[in-house]
Amino acid sequence: MSLFNFLVSKTIMHVPGPIVGYFAKGYIAGSKLDDAVRVTEEFNRQGMLTTIDILGEFIKTRDEARFFQDQCRQILEVIRTKGLQSNLSLKPSQMGLLLDAEFAFQNIRELVKLAQENQSFVRIDMEDIACTDATIDFYRRLRAEFPGHVGTVLQSYLRRTPADIDSLADAPMNFRLCKGIYNEPRLHAYKDPFVINRNFIYCLEKLFQKKAYVGIATHDEKLVFESLRLIEQYGLQKEEYEFQMLLGVDEELRRILVEGGHRLRVYVPYGEAWMPYSRRRLKENPMIAQHALKQLLGMKRF
């Protein structure tokens, strides 16, 4: 890790908000749903899919949960009315998980039901380890009632993920597979990047063996290479998987994958509550800050 990246990863949680906002502005669609729609329409013209997410998590009141549920309902409706090639991502804590699990489940259920009516799809995001069991339980219950219209997320840095795959293999599976971003205790999570990558590919192969639909969520070209190798090995058609990437991260690799004939979905976040998301992303990928700094200084190299 370079000195710059090390400093960003260690200090980003204490950097003033306006500075974080400058570095992160290219990685958030904007503050309004119209911004996410505009970005999605452009990606659709380029042959890419999106998933739209209103930022906000770990809410403290039921009224906040109802607000975010209404925002998610609007996302599903605009996807339908504008014919967008997109789906909805949401966070269980945003729906009230840490207030009342069943309250949160019912909020999410209403959205998945609407997605089914609209012939759309809801991705239930995975948050920190305190939310993992409940999120998997929500997914298990909802896929039984609304098959084909709901999925969730698996994280390769969690030690439990291979066992979760096995436990969910009793019905068709739809997952986004990513490395993971929350700072979890070693008891629950691998800390070595090499092991996290190895577990990513191990879990991906296990999912392909079990005929799961996987959103391969990575910007790490080593993992992209290994994923392409497995796709070829298992003879998968392009409708049986997709790659997923964050808005603003490695646009060149994104184009390479699309031009190679692969489905690719871009995560398009928007909203006023951008700070926690931005800090986590900058901590995970300090190159975002480095790229923005180079632009600010008009430098070709840094």
Side-chain angles (χ1 to χ4, degrees):
M1 178 184 291
S2 71
L3 177 60
F4 179 87
N5 288 2
F6 175 80
L7 291 173
V8 170
S9 67
K10 293 300 182 184
T11 63
I12 192 61
M13 294 303 173
H14 308 290
V15 172
I19 297 176
V20 175
Y22 176 80
F23 285 148
K25 65 182 180 181
Y27 308 90
I28 299 168
S31 60
K32 305 297 182 185
L33 177 55
D34 286 347
D35 297 317
V37 170
R38 170 181 48 79
V39 170
T40 290
E41 288 175 333
E42 177 57 31
F43 280 128
N44 288 173
R45 283 191 287 271
Q46 297 174 29
M48 302 178 197
L49 313 167
T50 76
T51 185
I52 299 176
D53 176 27
I54 178 168
L55 295 170
E57 56 196 286
F58 302 115
I59 53 89
K60 294 179 172 60
T61 70
R62 288 177 179 244
D63 284 343
E64 288 179 284
R66 294 186 186 99
F67 167 81
F68 281 111
Q69 186 201 39
D70 183 64
Q71 296 298 302
C72 288
R73 188 178 292 108
Q74 291 181 38
I75 293 170
L76 287 170
E77 287 295 342
V78 80
I79 289 171
R80 179 184 64 84
T81 58
K82 290 186 173 290
L84 303 176
Q85 297 298 305
S86 185
N87 59 36
L88 167 68
S89 288
L90 60 81
K91 296 175 177 62
S93 70
Q94 194 179 56
M95 296 291 118
L97 173 60
L98 301 183
L99 302 175
D100 182 320
E102 191 59 26
F103 168 72
F105 174 79
Q106 293 301 329
N107 286 337
I108 297 171
R109 182 188 176 279
E110 289 178 19
L111 294 168
V112 178
K113 182 175 184 294
L114 178 59
Q116 182 189 58
E117 293 167 357
N118 289 357
Q119 290 300 300
S120 191
F121 183 88
V122 174
R123 176 77 60 192
I124 306 172
D125 285 340
M126 190 63 73
E127 299 173 275
D128 65 17
I129 195 67
C131 301
T132 304
D133 283 337
T135 301
I136 288 175
D137 176 63
F138 288 1
Y139 169 65
R140 186 187 296 276
R141 293 164 66 184
L142 290 167
R143 75 171 177 180
E145 187 174 5
F146 306 103
H149 297 281
V150 65
T152 191
V153 179
L154 297 174
Q155 300 166 312
S156 71
Y157 78 152
L158 291 184
R159 297 174 184 273
R160 61 178 287 169
T161 295
D164 286 332
I165 294 170
D166 290 335
S167 73
L168 290 162
D170 56 343
M173 296 184 288
N174 189 311
F175 296 118
R176 174 193 297 145
L177 178 64
C178 64
K179 291 185 184 182
I181 194 171
Y182 293 87
N183 185 20
E184 303 294 2
R186 186 181 177 196
L187 176 66
H188 300 295
Y190 297 114
K191 298 298 184 178
D192 186 325
F194 176 79
V195 176
I196 293 169
N197 278 11
R198 288 291 302 273
N199 198 41
F200 188 105
I201 296 303
Y202 173 65
C203 290
L204 181 61
E205 183 162 20
K206 182 183 280 281
L207 288 165
F208 284 166
Q209 290 170 347
K210 295 180 182 298
K211 310 298 184 184
Y213 185 91
V214 187
I216 307 165
T218 184
H219 312 93
D220 185 334
E221 194 157 10
K222 296 185 296 294
L223 292 183
V224 170
F225 170 81
E226 293 293 345
S227 300
L228 292 171
R229 179 182 62 78
L230 289 175
I231 288 165
E232 181 178 356
Q233 178 180 326
Y234 285 91
L236 299 183
Q237 302 302 306
K238 67 178 183 179
E239 297 81 13
E240 297 178 298
Y241 67 93
E242 63 188 50
F243 286 92
Q244 297 186 357
M245 300 182 74
L246 297 172
L247 179 64
V249 180
D250 207 338
E251 293 93 337
E252 185 174 30
L253 181 57
R254 191 168 67 205
R255 290 194 300 272
I256 289 169
L257 288 168
V258 172
E259 290 171 3
H262 303 283
R263 287 163 57 96
L264 186 137
R265 188 178 304 274
V266 182
Y267 175 77
V268 178
Y270 77 95
E272 302 288 350
W274 52 268
M275 184 64 72
Y277 171 82
S278 299
R279 289 190 189 278
R280 282 201 310 275
R281 290 304 174 200
L282 287 166
K283 183 177 177 66
E284 176 197 34
N285 188 1
M287 292 300 293
I288 293 173
Q290 188 176 102
H291 179 68
L293 186 59
K294 285 192 292 185
Q295 289 183 319
L296 175 64
L297 299 177
M299 298 169 63
K300 292 184 178 180
R301 286 188 169 183
F302 184 73

